[in-house]
Amino acid sequence: MEKSFKLFFTDQYLYPLPEHHKFPIDKYILTKEQLIYQGLVSPEQLIDPGLIDEPAILLIHTKAYWEQIKSQTLDARMIRRIGLPLTSVSVNRARNSVAGTLQAALAAIEDGVSMNLAGGTHHAYPDRGEGFSMLNDIAIASAFLLRQKKVKRILIIDLDVHQGNGNAFIFEGNAAVFTFSMHGRNNYPLNKEKSDLDIALANGTPDGEYLSLLAQHLPTLIEQHQPDLIFYQAGVDVLATDKLGKISLTKQGCKERDRLVFTQSYRYQIPVAITMGGGYSERIADIVDAHCNTFQAAMEVYG
Ligand SMILES: [Zn+2]
C-alpha cells in the first residue's frame, strides 16, 4: 500500500433506514468497501470520529433548531424540507458526519490531506435544514477551528453541482472564510445565495469547459485569500449520469477536477480536508467509482 492519510468513517449510524428514505445511504458503505477491495485503504485505517458535541453545533445552529432536531419535535414541513426522516439514527448520523469533517480538518492540518467518508451537507442554514442537509458540517468545523485559533483563514471549494447556499449565507461578510461555489445554474437551490465567488454553469457543461474554468480560478483564489485550510466539497453529482445534476462531466473529467484541486493545494502547501457531498447517478456503481476516484486522486498527488 502506498503512503496514505487519515480517513474517517463508521457504519454504526447508517442503518436501519426508515421507510420512504430517498437519500442514497448505501453509497457510503460501498465506497468504503471498494477502497478496501482496491487495496487503497486497510480496514484498520478507518477512524470513527464519534459525535460532534452540542457547543460546537451551537456555534452555527440556533438553539431552537438544534433542540427540535435533538428531541425530534421539528414540524413535519421542516422535516420534509430536509428530505430525511428525523430519527435518533439520522440525528446521530448527522452529528457523526460533522465530527468526521472536523477531524479530517485537524488531520489535514497535521498531514496535509485527510478525508471524511461522509459530509458536505452544505444546504443547512443556522435555523433550518434542506436538501438532505440537517447540520452544516463545513460551517461548524470552520467556526470551531477559527474559535480555537487553529486557523485564521479558510477557503471552501464547493464543486458539488448544487450551490453551497448554506455556507454562502452563513459566511457572507465574514472575511475569515472565503466561499467558492461552482455549480449548475439551473440546479437546486432555485434562489441562490451570494458566495464570495459563484460560477454558475449552463446545462450540459462538458469536461473541457469545466476544467479550464477551474484551472483558471483556483490559483488566483488561493493566492488572493491565502487560506491556512481548504475544505473541499467533492460532490459527484456533476456527472452526466447524475439524475439531479444538470451538467455533464465524464467520470474521467470528475477525477481530473479532483486532481486539479489537490495539485493546487499541494503546490501551495495548504492543508485540504475532503468531504463527499452529493451523488445521485442511476447506477450506484457510478457514484461509488467517482467517490473512490476522489480518494485515489488525493493519494496520487499526496502519496
Ligand atoms: Zn449536490
Side-chain angles (χ1 to χ4, degrees), residues 122-123 160-162 233 235 237 277-280:
H122 57 170
H123 301 307
D160 191 280
V161 82
H162 302 101
Q233 210 281 22
D237 41 17
Y280 316 95

Side-chain angles (χ1 to χ4, degrees), residues 94-153:
R95 290 180 68 174
N96 182 250
S97 173
V98 177
T101 296
L102 175 57
Q103 291 301 319
L106 291 166
I109 291 167
E110 293 296 313
D111 304 332
V113 60
S114 178
M115 183 165 179
N116 180 18
L117 282 188
T121 45
H122 57 170
H123 301 307
Y125 284 72
D127 62 350
R128 68 176 192 275
E130 55 180 68
F132 304 133
S133 303
M134 190 180 289
L135 301 175
N136 192 318
D137 60 326
I138 291 176
I140 293 170
S142 296
F144 182 90
L145 294 165
L146 289 166
R147 172 72 60 101
Q148 298 285 316
K149 301 199 177 351
K150 298 276 185 196
V151 295
K152 289 197 184 73
R153 300 170 72 78

Side-chain angles (χ1 to χ4, degrees), residues 7-226:
L7 193 58
F8 296 89
F9 173 86
T10 180
D11 58 10
Q12 61 170 311
Y13 309 108
L14 296 184
Y15 306 102
L17 294 182
E19 272 183 76
H20 311 302
H21 196 286
K22 295 195 187 71
F23 185 80
I25 286 290
D26 290 346
K27 75 172 192 177
Y28 296 104
I29 210 153
L30 291 170
T31 299
K32 183 254 323 185
E33 283 175 3
Q34 185 159 323
L35 289 173
I36 292 171
Y37 177 77
Q38 291 179 337
L40 295 170
V41 168
S42 65
E44 310 80 66
Q45 218 181 314
L46 303 167
I47 305 165
D48 177 359
L51 301 177
I52 195 78
D53 63 20
E54 294 192 36
I57 293 170
L58 295 174
L59 292 174
I60 292 295
H61 293 286
T62 62
K63 195 160 176 58
Y65 175 62
W66 169 241
E67 291 294 335
Q68 288 174 322
I69 289 287
K70 190 171 61 166
S71 58
Q72 294 157 46
T73 54
L74 194 67
D75 78 54
R77 189 178 56 84
M78 298 290 278
I79 296 174
R80 272 198 303 277
R81 205 163 170 177
I82 298 174
L84 302 168
L86 184 58
T87 65
S88 59
V89 172
S90 68
V91 174
N92 281 338
R93 188 190 313 135
R95 290 180 68 174
N96 182 250
S97 173
V98 177
T101 296
L102 175 57
Q103 291 301 319
L106 291 166
I109 291 167
E110 293 296 313
D111 304 332
V113 60
S114 178
M115 183 165 179
N116 180 18
L117 282 188
T121 45
H122 57 170
H123 301 307
Y125 284 72
D127 62 350
R128 68 176 192 275
E130 55 180 68
F132 304 133
S133 303
M134 190 180 289
L135 301 175
N136 192 318
D137 60 326
I138 291 176
I140 293 170
S142 296
F144 182 90
L145 294 165
L146 289 166
R147 172 72 60 101
Q148 298 285 316
K149 301 199 177 351
K150 298 276 185 196
V151 295
K152 289 197 184 73
R153 300 170 72 78
I154 292 170
L155 169 62
I156 300 174
I157 298 177
D158 189 332
L159 300 184
D160 191 280
V161 82
H162 302 101
Q163 193 208 25
N165 57 342
N167 289 322
F169 176 85
I170 289 165
F171 296 115
E172 190 172 1
N174 183 337
V177 182
F178 191 100
T179 53
F180 166 46
S181 178
M182 188 150 118
H183 50 261
R185 183 191 301 278
N186 296 314
N187 269 111
Y188 166 94
L190 187 62
N191 298 312
K192 299 187 173 47
E193 302 288 349
K194 195 175 171 343
S195 309
D196 292 305
L197 176 63
D198 284 301
I199 300 180
L201 303 166
N203 289 7
T205 298
D207 289 351
E209 185 185 342
Y210 185 100
L211 295 171
S212 72
L213 272 169
L214 189 60
Q216 181 190 323
H217 282 94
L218 279 179
T220 322
L221 276 176
I222 294 174
E223 282 170 20
Q224 287 183 350
H225 188 63
Q226 299 280 324

